[in-house]
Amino acid sequence: IRLPEEFSAHRRYSSVQIKVDYTNAMDAIKQGVEKLDPPHNKEPRDFIIKIVGQNAYMYGRRKIIDYEAVRDAVRNENDVEFVLIKREDFKQRVEAEREKQRDFAEHFLTAYPARVTEHTDEWLKYDA
């Protein structure tokens, strides 16, 4: 894993052991974050990993091997290089998306009429 310069003054890269059958993205993130300088090595949830040279970002409990870019590299017997990325706004983004979901759920019930009372090929008639 390539470590962020601003959080690791003494090293640029760190080797991470990945067992393809059960290592998930969060496990790899935790291993990378442990190599950072204090106090940045305490909160793995503020980081994501990205496959270098790909548009593949990884986070959460999904297995590393479930990502297509990783499977391609393993199939071609290439090394996979990850970069650890700090997501300062991650918690705010998650909360904003949850708020959008709540708003959608509230408005969904009133967005459509309760039932269709009549239907022709040209139009629908709804109960008011």
Side-chain angles (χ1 to χ4, degrees):
I1 291 182
R2 188 185 313 166
L3 303 174
E5 292 177 25
E6 63 269 22
F7 305 123
S8 181
H10 63 285
R11 69 171 75 164
R12 292 277 223 215
Y13 292 90
S14 175
S15 295
V16 173
Q17 184 176 7
I18 293 177
K19 305 278 187 182
V20 292
D21 53 339
Y22 65 86
T23 301
N24 62 41
M26 198 62 199
D27 293 336
I29 291 169
K30 285 177 185 175
Q31 290 182 50
V33 169
E34 288 172 358
K35 309 292 185 186
L36 297 177
D37 296 338
H40 308 292
N41 59 353
K42 303 217 184 311
E43 194 57 52
R45 292 178 181 232
D46 290 342
F47 291 87
I48 60 173
I49 53 177
K50 177 185 182 297
I51 298 175
V52 174
Q54 302 282 330
N55 254 353
Y57 294 86
M58 295 183 266
Y59 181 81
R61 295 187 180 113
R62 189 171 169 194
K63 291 180 187 173
I64 295 286
I65 198 65
D66 289 344
Y67 292 90
E68 184 177 355
V70 174
R71 286 194 312 270
D72 289 346
V74 170
R75 182 188 67 228
N76 296 331
E77 297 182 7
N78 295 331
D79 289 336
V80 182
E81 184 180 348
F82 301 105
V83 62
L84 193 63
I85 300 172
K86 175 81 168 173
R87 288 289 310 265
E88 306 264 349
D89 62 340
F90 184 72
K91 292 175 186 172
Q92 292 86 357
R93 285 187 179 202
V94 168
E95 189 53 42
E97 292 303 317
R98 285 187 179 143
E99 185 63 32
K100 286 181 190 176
Q101 287 178 336
R102 283 191 287 272
D103 289 345
F104 177 75
E106 289 174 10
H107 293 98
F108 183 79
L109 297 174
T110 59
Y112 300 99
R115 65 185 194 137
V116 176
T117 58
E118 194 175 322
H119 175 259
T120 69
D121 291 335
E122 297 175 17
W123 53 275
L124 295 174
K125 180 178 177 186
Y126 298 99
D127 281 346

